[in-house]
Amino acid sequence: MNILITGGAGFIASHIADANIRRRNKVFILDNLSSGDKGNINPRAKFYKKDIYKDNLEKIFRDNKIDVINHHAAQIDLRKSQTEPIFDARINIEGSLNLLKLAVKYKVRKVVFASSGGAVYGEQEYFPADEKHKTEPLSPYGISKLTVEKYLEFFRSYYGIKYVCLRYSNVFGPRQSMKGEAGVVSVFYKKILAGKNPVINGDGNQTRDYVFVDDVVKANLLAQSYRGSGIFNICTGRETSVNQLFRLINKNLNNRAEEVHGSGIYGEQVRSVLSNKLAGKKLLWKPETGIKAGIIKTGDWFKKYF
Ligand SMILES: NC(=O)c1ccc[n+]([C@@H]2O[C@H](COP(=O)([O-])OP(=O)(O)OC[C@H]3O[C@@H](n4cnc5c(N)ncnc54)[C@H](O)[C@@H]3O)[C@@H](O)[C@H]2O)c1
C-alpha cells in the first residue's frame, strides 16, 4: 500500500510512518517542519518538505499513486488557536481541504484523520464520553477538528472517499514536544531532568485520559485497513490526575523534584475521559500499555536525549 503521511516528522505520525515501513508499505511524508523534527523522519520514507496550506501538493499525487492519506499535520497549539483563529483555520481546515480535493482528483481510497476527543466534546456531561456525546468544542482548535470530520463525511457521501476519524484522548510517549495536548508529560520530564521543579497548574486534581503512542499507532494501522468509514475514540477510559502524573514521573526520576503548585488556568476542563468501546467493537482495537508502563518507556527516551 502507498501511504501519504502528513505531519510525519512530528511526534505521533513519525511513529506511524515507522510502523508502516515495518509492514512494508511505501511511505511518503509531507511536513513543513514547523514543529516536527527532521531527525524523526524514517530514512526509508520519501520526504516532501511542503506546507499543506501554502504549497501546491499536486506533484506528490501525480508522481506517486497514493492509496491512503494518513493526515496528522496540524496547528496543534490550543492556546494559539484562541489568539490566532484564522491561522488555525488556514492550516487545520483549509490545509485539510487542499488534501481532500487532491484525494478526489487522484482517486485516493481512504483518509485517516487525527481528530481530538479532548477538544471536540467540550465540557463533558457524562464520563467516560462515547462518540454519541454532544460536541461543543471550547476552542477554535476543537472547532477546526470537528469541521474537518464533517467535511470528511461530505466527501464520503458525495465522492465516495472512505474515512476514519480517530478522536485521540491525550497521547504521550517518546519524541513528544512540550506543545501538544499531552505535552504535560514531556514538560515534567524535561523540567525535572534539568534540575527544576515543574509547576502544577492549580490543585492538580484535573484529570485526563493518557493513551500511549504505541497503542495509537496500532489504531492507525487498523484504521488504514478498516473496510468502512467511521469516527472512533482512541483512549484508555481511565483518568489520571496531574498530581498522579507528576508523582509517577518524579518516582521514575528517583523523586528528585518538589511538588509545586501555581495558579489554575481559567476555564481549564476539570475532567476528561473517553470510552473506547466502539473502537474495540469495530476496529478490534484496545490499548495495551498502562499509564505506569508508558511513563517508564517515555522516561527511558527522555533520559537518553535530555
Ligand atoms: N498529542 C496529542 O495528545 C493529540 C491529541 C489529539 C489529537 N492530536 C492530533 O494528532 C496530530 C499529531 O499531533 P502531534 O502531537 O504528533 O504533534 P506534532 O506537532 O509533533 O506533529 C504535527 C506535525 O505537523 C507538521 N505541520 C504543522 N503544520 C504543518 C503544515 N502547515 N504543513 C505541513 N506540515 C505541518 C509539524 O511540523 C509536525 O511535524 C495533530 O493533528 C494533532 O492535532 C494530538
Side-chain angles (χ1 to χ4, degrees), residues 85 89 131 135 144 157 160 162 246 261 265:
E131 292 79 354
T135 46
S144 69
S157 64
K162 288 185 180 159
F246 168 80
H261 290 259
I265 294 179

Side-chain angles (χ1 to χ4, degrees), residues 79-216:
R79 286 185 229 300
K80 187 166 181 177
S81 82
Q82 290 164 333
T83 53
E84 294 182 48
I86 296 176
F87 176 75
D88 181 87
R90 278 185 187 140
I91 308 298
N92 290 356
I93 300 176
E94 285 191 45
S96 300
L97 284 173
N98 257 342
L99 290 163
L100 287 178
K101 270 175 55 193
L102 289 163
V104 173
K105 185 166 175 188
Y106 289 92
K107 298 190 170 35
V108 170
R109 192 165 49 77
K110 148 137 343 136
V111 178
V112 176
F113 174 58
S115 186
S116 166
V120 300
Y121 295 119
E123 206 57 73
Q124 279 182 231
E125 282 180 344
Y126 56 89
F127 304 86
D130 55 20
E131 292 79 354
K132 291 195 180 113
H133 190 283
K134 73 171 175 28
T135 46
E136 281 185 6
L138 299 169
S139 66
Y141 170 77
I143 293 170
S144 69
K145 288 289 179 192
L146 190 58
T147 303
V148 174
E149 289 189 1
K150 294 193 184 300
Y151 273 115
L152 282 164
E153 174 53 27
F154 167 77
F155 277 76
R156 184 201 63 77
S157 64
Y158 201 74
Y159 296 110
I161 296 182
K162 288 185 180 159
Y163 71 88
V164 174
C165 295
L166 300 175
R167 288 181 177 166
Y168 302 151
S169 57
N170 293 64
V171 187
F172 74 102
R175 299 183 188 159
Q176 186 166 30
S177 77
M178 310 217 297
K179 280 195 197 150
E181 291 175 61
V184 62
V185 174
S186 64
V187 172
F188 284 178
Y189 264 120
K190 282 184 191 163
K191 287 251 160 89
I192 300 174
L193 283 167
K196 294 181 185 154
N197 294 323
V199 178
I200 297 170
N201 297 327
D203 63 13
N205 289 325
Q206 58 277 38
T207 65
R208 296 289 179 270
D209 177 336
Y210 294 96
V211 61
F212 189 60
V213 68
D214 288 0
D215 285 324
V216 171

Side-chain angles (χ1 to χ4, degrees), residues 6-14 30-37 40 48 50-55 71-77 87 90-92 95 113-119 141 145 166-172 175-177 179-183 211:
T6 73
F11 158 50
I12 301 172
S14 64
L30 159 53
D31 200 298
N32 69 353
L33 299 180
S34 55
S35 64
D37 185 340
N40 289 339
Y48 292 91
K50 284 188 182 292
D51 189 301
I52 54 165
Y53 164 67
K54 282 192 218 141
D55 292 327
H71 181 30
H72 275 68
Q75 185 304 109
I76 62 159
D77 191 334
F87 176 75
R90 278 185 187 140
I91 308 298
N92 290 356
F113 174 58
S115 186
S116 166
Y141 170 77
K145 288 289 179 192
L166 300 175
R167 288 181 177 166
Y168 302 151
S169 57
N170 293 64
V171 187
F172 74 102
R175 299 183 188 159
Q176 186 166 30
S177 77
K179 280 195 197 150
E181 291 175 61
V211 61

